[in-house]
Amino acid sequence: MKLSGKCGTATNSAGDPLPSELAKLLDLEVEAIKRQGARPKTEKEAEALGKLSVEIVGKDHDMNYKKVMRYIRLNSLVPELLDKVDAKQMGFMPAWRSRISGRKTSG
């Protein structure tokens, strides 16, 4: 089940969604696929049997499953780090590492 293709925002004139928006969209699509029953209704669903939901979503968005998983992980970042990723002041992996190192020092 594909919820939508590429989404645009009023704040992003290029037409590409912000990383946080894409992360939410991908997460919704993965969860929708996980909730589907195992009986395929279409040829596309039959082809997808045995694949991970992140692989199916990745194929729909022309990205590999690891990139889908990275985007979904953005949903667990604190808002300050997510804002930096959206503003392109920080990349995915540095933001993720900051989140992990912040957790180790505060715990």
Side-chain angles (χ1 to χ4, degrees), residues 2-95:
K2 188 173 178 186
L3 297 176
S4 67
K6 305 223 177 356
C7 61
T9 65
T11 58
N12 195 351
S13 61
D16 292 332
L18 294 172
S20 61
E21 294 172 330
L22 186 55
K24 290 173 187 167
L25 172 73
L26 294 174
D27 193 27
L28 286 172
E29 289 186 18
V30 167
E31 289 303 315
I33 289 171
K34 285 180 181 179
R35 289 191 177 99
Q36 285 180 348
R39 292 189 190 149
K41 295 176 185 158
T42 66
E43 188 176 317
K44 183 179 177 184
E45 289 177 6
E47 182 183 309
L49 279 179
K51 288 187 179 179
L52 297 173
S53 52
V54 290
E55 290 176 318
I56 297 166
V57 171
K59 185 177 178 185
D60 287 346
H61 290 274
D62 296 324
M63 57 178 78
N64 70 26
Y65 75 96
K66 287 184 180 182
K67 191 167 185 178
V68 172
M69 290 170 44
R70 283 187 195 116
Y71 270 106
I72 292 172
R73 276 190 229 135
L74 287 178
N75 291 321
S76 64
L77 290 178
V78 294
E80 295 82 21
L81 287 177
L82 194 54
D83 289 342
K84 286 184 179 185
V85 172
D86 282 344
K88 298 185 181 186
Q89 295 172 346
M90 184 178 270
F92 286 156
M93 297 311 290

Side-chain angles (χ1 to χ4, degrees), residues 77 81 91-103:
L77 290 178
L81 287 177
F92 286 156
M93 297 311 290
W96 185 250
R97 286 187 205 107
S98 294
R99 174 193 165 272
I100 293 171
S101 64
R103 204 186 263 175

